[in-house]
Amino acid sequence: MIRARNPKTDDKEIFRLIQAELIPMSHTAHPLDAQTIRDLPVRFRRGVTYVAAEGKTSKPYGFIRFEITGEILYLDMLVVHPDHRNRQWGRKLLLAAEAYGSTHNCRASRLFVDDINTRAKNLYSRLGYQAIQYYPELRCYEMIKPLASSSYPYY
């Protein structure tokens, strides 16, 4: 099931997933960077987080964090535990975030993906995201997708 994040029951596993799965892909963060880890609770108080889990109180095996800025849905983090990949959870989380954005009048969805994360880049491309810029200093791509039938000039 896809459900809203419950900080008390979900954050420990979400933060573990970030350390184990996301930070190692990042050129700008290190798994032992204490400041990055300390900043996570503040970051999660902004925006919205959905989790993929067996039930309402089950430990999450994936999550997506996003926020809205103007008419843009900004996808900040998406991760699915390796044991639960290839079961469409990343796709379901992404589509749930996009649905949230559409109901909140977002015209486009935007994200950044690390260049070594080819699995994520391929998922985003299959779901309609286009790379519009590469940032060599960050080693990541900026990707964007119009939401609904928007013809929003997002470049």
Side-chain angles (χ1 to χ4, degrees):
M1 82 181 310
I2 304 295
R3 61 173 172 77
R5 162 185 161 255
N6 179 335
K8 290 182 182 182
T9 59
D10 298 334
D11 282 2
K12 182 177 179 180
E13 182 61 14
I14 288 172
F15 296 169
R16 193 198 68 69
L17 284 169
I18 291 168
Q19 280 189 278
E21 304 297 326
L22 285 182
I23 291 177
M25 295 278 187
S26 175
H27 170 67
T28 59
H30 188 276
L32 301 177
D33 182 0
Q35 187 60 46
T36 298
I37 304 306
R38 275 195 304 274
D39 289 344
L40 288 174
V42 173
R43 195 168 172 181
F44 273 83
R45 281 195 286 276
R46 297 187 324 259
V48 178
T49 303
Y50 288 156
V51 300
E54 198 66 34
K56 289 184 178 184
T57 59
S58 303
K59 182 168 88 171
Y61 37 78
F63 76 92
I64 188 166
R65 188 202 140 345
F66 55 92
E67 56 187 81
I68 294 174
T69 304
E71 294 181 328
I72 303 296
L73 174 70
Y74 175 62
L75 303 176
D76 183 33
M77 289 184 269
L78 168 64
V79 70
V80 174
H81 188 281
D83 292 346
H84 295 275
R85 291 184 184 150
N86 298 316
R87 298 181 189 167
Q88 304 294 310
W89 289 114
R91 180 182 154 284
K92 290 174 186 176
L93 286 162
L94 190 61
L95 294 175
E98 289 175 1
Y100 181 96
S102 291
T103 62
H104 287 82
N105 302 314
C106 290
R107 299 184 69 173
S109 178
R110 178 172 292 198
L111 59 88
F112 290 84
V113 61
D114 294 292
D115 60 4
I116 64 169
N117 197 348
T118 55
R119 171 174 264 184
K121 189 170 183 291
N122 290 338
L123 170 67
Y124 301 139
S125 294
R126 280 194 312 273
L127 293 176
Y129 286 79
Q130 294 181 315
I132 60 168
Q133 189 164 357
Y134 179 72
Y135 296 89
E137 68 280 6
L138 300 174
R139 297 183 192 167
C140 70
Y141 292 92
E142 179 180 10
M143 300 182 81
I144 197 155
K145 173 185 176 179
L147 293 180
S149 60
S150 171
S151 60
Y152 184 66
Y154 46 82
Y155 291 53

